């Protein structure tokens, strides 16, 4: 049992003097951090080891590289001030070793005759999730005559911008074989396009930041369901999924936040204030829709607004991670109590061996993982949650 509980965390928040009125507490005198208020370091290390062991698909590896960066090398993640550009040489104690290792393997495996970084199993967006780590590897590489990371990142971008099918409005399809929009795309491709643009700078860089924003906007235009303040999962083409899939909503919110943070760390933060404002609104509306349907024990349901749906810890972890990031970026604390309850549930859902239990099977959206099966992305979401919580606590 982890002794962390909601009451003690509201004490922490009340200390910040920011939630005091909304939770009816007076400002407490001291911050009381329970001894085990996060996963124990050993357990978190097991979560990480397991994530590395079972992540194989492009989007799983891409999400893992982002999670490792945020957790272990936070100064290199886009949420950190002055993270763009990264240093041209990494120090031996802050070397993003495990992230660079994955990026290096990806470019070593890549063949010259394909533009995407890795086989995306028919998905346009998924390989792009590795783009951040490849750009980081390029920028910080020790051998400055080695252009392979740069060329491969360029080709991935070219694929997204010129090869992939698009909707009539310009949304880049998430699928290669037909024009189809999946909420998942928003975490996979726009953050890469934005980071590429922020590094490039100049008018070309600004245009890429605008493209990243526009893709989020175009996806929202099609997928957002204002009646419930949630996104649908998949629209257009054959085989749509109009349900309000919890992980899809979390992908969209978390992806838009990375775009927002990247714009903020770029040279165009001031020029792109209206875009920043819209991203903030669009993320907030997802939290409003999702957390209003949170169950009493802190979990979200796999289909957020279907009471008969099963409890899913994966989406709960990513939604909570995104919520702490959102709060840290915006100073809007309104969703924090829900995210704190969610984090408690996640801590109780990680078993002694570092596996997140009660996850949706990410390849069969409608079914829970069978006992003994684990979710690669769910493992990374726990890492993202702890990284976001750490940043939030440092507020
Ligand atoms: C690279 O290719 C090897 C051999 O096919 C494979 O085992 C490994 O998982 C690949 N690595 C990545 C990061 O895709
Ligand atoms: C650096 O990269 C270049 C271009 O790939 C290569 O020719 C050279 O051998 C590399 N140098 C070292 C020291 O690895
Ligand atoms: C790779 O890094 C170099 C700096 O070493 C930079 O000039 C180049 O633009 C980078 N490539 C990409 C695609 O960002
Ligand atoms: C922000 O969103 C509003 C409402 O959807 C839209 O009218 C406006 O053009 C957007 N601003 C930008 C910069 O895209
Ligand atoms: C949380 O509550 C839901 C019902 O709202 C239930 O299905 C689920 O099993 C509970 N989760 C845990 C870990 O107790």
């Amino acid at each position: 049992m982890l002794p962390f509980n909601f009451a003690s965390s509201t004490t922490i928040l009340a200390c910040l003097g920011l939630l005091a009125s909304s939770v009816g507490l007076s400002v407490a005198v001291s911050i009381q951090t329970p001894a085990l208020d996060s996963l124990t370091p050993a357990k978190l290390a097991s979560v990480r080891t397991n994530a590395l062991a079972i992540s194989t698909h492009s989007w799983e590896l891409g999400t893992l590289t982002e999670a490792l960066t945020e957790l272990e090398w936070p100064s290199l993640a886009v949420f950190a001030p002055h993270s763009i550009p990264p240093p041209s040489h990494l120090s031996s104690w802050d070397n993003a070793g495990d992230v660079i290792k994955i990026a290096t393997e990806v470019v070593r495996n890549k063949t010259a005759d394909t533009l995407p970084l890795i086989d995306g199993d028919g998905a346009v967006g998924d390989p792009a999730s590795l783009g951040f780590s490849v750009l980081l590897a390029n920028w910080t590489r020790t051998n400055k005559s080695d252009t392979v990371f740069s060329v491969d990142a360029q080709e991935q971008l070219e694929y997204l911008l010129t090869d992939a099918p698009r909707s009539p409005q310009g949304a880049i399809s998430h699928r290669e074989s037909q024009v189809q929009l999946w909420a998942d795309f928003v975490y996979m491709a726009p953050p890469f396009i934005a980071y590429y643009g922020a590094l490039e700078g100049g008018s070309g860089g600004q245009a890429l930041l605008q493209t990243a924003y526009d893709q989020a906007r175009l996806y929202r235009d099609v997928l957002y369901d204002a009646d419930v303040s949630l996104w649908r999962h998949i629209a257009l083409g054959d085989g749509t999924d109009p349900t309000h899939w919890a992980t899809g909503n979390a992908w969209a919110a978390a992806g838009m936040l990375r775009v927002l943070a990247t714009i903020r760390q770029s040279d165009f933060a001031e020029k792109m204030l209206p875009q920043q404002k819209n991203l903030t609104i669009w993320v907030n509306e997802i939290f409003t829709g999702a957390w209003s349907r949170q169950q009493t024990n802190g979990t979200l349901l796999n289909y957020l607004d279907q009471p008969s749906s099963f409890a899913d810890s994966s989406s709960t972890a990513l939604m909570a991670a995104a919520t702490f990031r959102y709060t840290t970026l915006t100073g809007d604390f309104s969703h924090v109590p829900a995210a704190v309850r969610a984090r408690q549930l996640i801590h109780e859902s990680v078993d002694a061996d570092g596996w997140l239990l009660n996850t949706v099977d990410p390849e069969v959206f409608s079914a829970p993982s069978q006992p003994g099966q684990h979710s690669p992305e769910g493992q990374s979401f726990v890492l993202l949650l702890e990284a976001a919580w750490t940043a939030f606590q440092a507020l």
Side-chain angles (χ1 to χ4, degrees), residues 165-238:
R166 293 205 187 207
S167 74
Q169 290 72 27
I172 300 169
S173 173
H174 187 58
R175 302 296 303 172
E176 287 170 357
S177 58
Q178 61 172 342
V179 173
Q180 188 165 74
L181 309 192
W182 295 42
D184 317 33
F185 176 90
V186 177
Y187 194 83
M188 307 305 155
F192 162 63
I193 298 170
Y195 192 62
Y196 199 114
L199 287 176
E200 181 174 316
S203 57
Q206 186 182 357
L208 287 175
L209 285 161
Q210 180 67 34
T211 298
Y213 164 80
D214 283 336
Q215 289 303 313
R217 178 174 60 78
L218 292 165
Y219 266 69
R220 178 181 172 277
D221 282 349
V222 172
L223 293 173
Y224 180 58
D225 184 346
D227 291 343
V228 283
S229 201
L230 293 170
W231 284 38
R232 299 176 194 91
H233 184 201
I234 303 171
L236 311 183
D238 295 329

Side-chain angles (χ1 to χ4, degrees), residues 326-394:
Y326 167 84
T327 306
T328 309
L329 281 172
T330 63
D332 172 2
F333 280 68
S334 51
H335 302 294
V336 165
V340 167
R341 279 192 292 275
R343 181 165 173 266
Q344 164 85 36
L345 182 278
I346 294 304
H347 283 193
E348 289 166 2
S349 303
V350 176
D351 75 10
D353 298 323
W355 293 108
L356 180 63
L357 306 177
N358 309 318
T359 55
V360 60
D361 180 340
E363 296 189 61
V364 190
F365 326 118
S366 57
S369 287
Q370 297 303 306
Q373 283 179 357
H374 302 295
S375 167
E377 66 194 34
Q379 294 295 122
S380 287
F381 296 163
V382 175
L383 306 179
L384 287 169
L385 173 56
E386 292 311 293
W389 168 256
T390 302
F392 167 72
Q393 272 190 311

Side-chain angles (χ1 to χ4, degrees), residues 228 230 241-245 293 295 300-311 366:
V228 283
L230 293 170
D241 177 6
T243 64
H244 305 115
W245 188 45
R293 297 172 172 89
Q295 306 297 296
L300 297 174
L301 301 179
N302 183 55
Y303 296 127
L304 286 160
D305 54 346
Q306 294 182 21
S308 61
S309 176
F310 59 89
S366 57

Side-chain angles (χ1 to χ4, degrees), residues 259-330:
V259 173
L260 171 62
T262 308
I263 292 173
R264 284 231 194 145
Q265 296 308 319
S266 76
D267 294 339
F268 308 101
E270 295 292 316
K271 285 192 177 139
M272 297 183 73
L273 284 175
Q275 289 87 341
Q276 291 191 47
K277 178 150 186 272
N278 274 1
L279 289 168
T280 307
I281 293 168
W282 300 339
V283 171
N284 180 56
E285 72 198 5
I286 291 177
F287 294 147
T288 300
W291 293 130
S292 70
R293 297 172 172 89
Q294 185 179 33
Q295 306 297 296
T296 44
N297 64 12
T299 198
L300 297 174
L301 301 179
N302 183 55
Y303 296 127
L304 286 160
D305 54 346
Q306 294 182 21
S308 61
S309 176
F310 59 89
D312 168 43
S313 61
S314 257
S315 54
T316 304
L318 184 58
M319 195 72 77
T323 301
F324 289 125
R325 288 296 183 189
Y326 167 84
T327 306
T328 309
L329 281 172
T330 63

Side-chain angles (χ1 to χ4, degrees), residues 61 102 105-106 109 118:
L61 289 166
I102 294 172
E105 235 185 84
V106 165
N109 281 0
I118 191 174

